[in-house]
């Protein structure tokens, strides 16, 4: 008989937990939706003006989710990634301003949870921005910071397609063609991500193209 109150408490806790589980599932579903939408925008929308517009809309969706869940870093990461995609599509000074916005969003995400999304995305995205944006006085690009963030990304996700691709891209920019080739080969060998087929196909296509350039450099 003494166990009955405990069982009742356990049952009550289980009942109370159901709405929380449902809320978590809804949040996860929306984050996954952002990931799928970004892959479509980044890899399947070919017109740059249309891509910039779609990326801006996706960033707005991620921003709305970030306001709804202010203690979660995942929406901020996707808002930053979408904003960076818009920056790349626009280019020029407008693109540079958007890249700076993306960096700020990622820094906010890093303070909340640097392990958000579980694949080193915060570090990968910051590293790629520091690697690709021009340095002072034009922009905030910084090879030392790029190297440090990409090292953290690879420590978090050593077999991942994204950290290895951006490591390869960075090392090529630095003239380390052998290191770039090794990283890009790892990117091409990265395991598939269920539900991320479009992103995997697109990123590995980029890795294959860049690897061909790197191999040309190595032969010359």
């Amino acid at each position: 008989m003494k166990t009955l109150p405990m069982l009742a408490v356990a049952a009550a806790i289980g009942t109370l937990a159901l709405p929380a589980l449902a809320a978590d599932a809804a949040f996860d579903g929306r984050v996954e939706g952002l990931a799928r939408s970004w892959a479509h925008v980044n890899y399947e929308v070919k017109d740059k003006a249309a891509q910039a517009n779609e990326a801006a809309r996706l960033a707005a969706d991620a921003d709305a989710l970030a306001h709804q869940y202010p203690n979660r870093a995942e929406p901020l990461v996707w808002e930053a990634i979408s904003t960076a995609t818009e920056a790349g599509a626009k280019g020029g000074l407008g693109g540079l301003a958007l890249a700076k916005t993306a960096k700020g969003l990622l820094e906010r995400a890093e303070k909340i949870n640097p392990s958000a999304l579980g694949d080193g995305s915060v570090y990968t995205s910051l590293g790629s921005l520091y690697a690709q944006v021009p340095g002072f006085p034009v922009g905030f690009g910084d090879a030392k910071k790029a190297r440090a963030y990409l090292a953290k990304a690879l420590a978090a996700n050593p077999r991942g397609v994204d950290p290895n691709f951006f490591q390869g891209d960075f090392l090529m920019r630095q003239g380390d063609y052998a290191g770039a080739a090794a990283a890009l080969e790892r990117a091409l060998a990265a395991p598939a991500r269920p539900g991320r087929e479009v992103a995997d196909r697109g990123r590995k296509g980029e890795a294959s193209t860049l690897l061909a350039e790197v191999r040309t450099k190595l032969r010359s």
Side-chain angles (χ1 to χ4, degrees), residues 69-93:
Y69 294 89
N71 296 320
R72 298 296 297 265
E74 295 88 343
L76 292 171
V77 178
W78 281 115
E79 185 179 357
I81 292 171
S82 300
T83 300
T85 298
E86 183 187 0
K90 284 188 171 180
L93 292 177

Side-chain angles (χ1 to χ4, degrees), residues 7-214:
L7 289 174
V9 169
I13 290 173
T15 302
L16 290 171
L18 287 175
L21 290 173
D24 286 344
F27 173 81
D28 290 343
R30 291 177 68 182
V31 171
E32 290 169 7
L34 291 171
R36 288 192 298 271
S37 296
W38 173 80
H40 166 69
V41 171
N42 195 58
Y43 292 114
E44 297 180 332
V45 178
K46 303 302 182 183
D47 179 79
K48 288 300 181 182
Q51 187 182 65
N53 289 336
E54 291 294 326
R57 278 195 284 270
L58 186 58
D61 290 344
D63 182 64
L65 188 61
H67 279 85
Q68 188 176 349
Y69 294 89
N71 296 320
R72 298 296 297 265
E74 295 88 343
L76 292 171
V77 178
W78 281 115
E79 185 179 357
I81 292 171
S82 300
T83 300
T85 298
E86 183 187 0
K90 284 188 171 180
L93 292 177
L96 188 59
L98 287 166
K100 186 175 181 179
T101 297
K103 181 174 78 74
L105 290 165
L106 289 165
E107 288 169 344
R108 285 172 56 194
E110 184 181 16
K111 289 178 180 178
I112 296 171
N113 178 15
S115 300
L117 300 177
D119 60 358
S121 286
V122 172
Y123 297 138
T124 301
S125 300
L126 278 167
S128 68
L129 283 174
Y130 277 115
Q132 296 182 27
V133 169
F136 180 84
V138 177
F140 59 82
D142 187 313
K144 184 176 180 180
K145 289 182 178 179
R147 190 182 296 276
Y149 273 117
L150 290 171
K152 288 182 178 182
L154 285 166
N157 187 13
R159 298 177 62 207
V161 62
D162 289 333
N164 279 293
F165 169 78
F166 285 109
Q167 175 78 341
D169 177 75
F170 170 70
L171 292 176
M172 182 177 178
R173 293 168 187 269
Q174 296 299 302
D176 180 359
Y177 302 125
L184 292 166
E185 287 165 357
R186 289 194 299 271
L188 288 170
R193 297 174 290 182
R196 302 290 307 282
E197 291 81 9
V198 173
D200 282 348
R201 185 167 58 250
R203 188 68 82 201
K204 289 189 177 185
E206 292 175 333
S208 181
T209 299
L210 192 58
L211 181 57
E213 295 179 25
V214 169

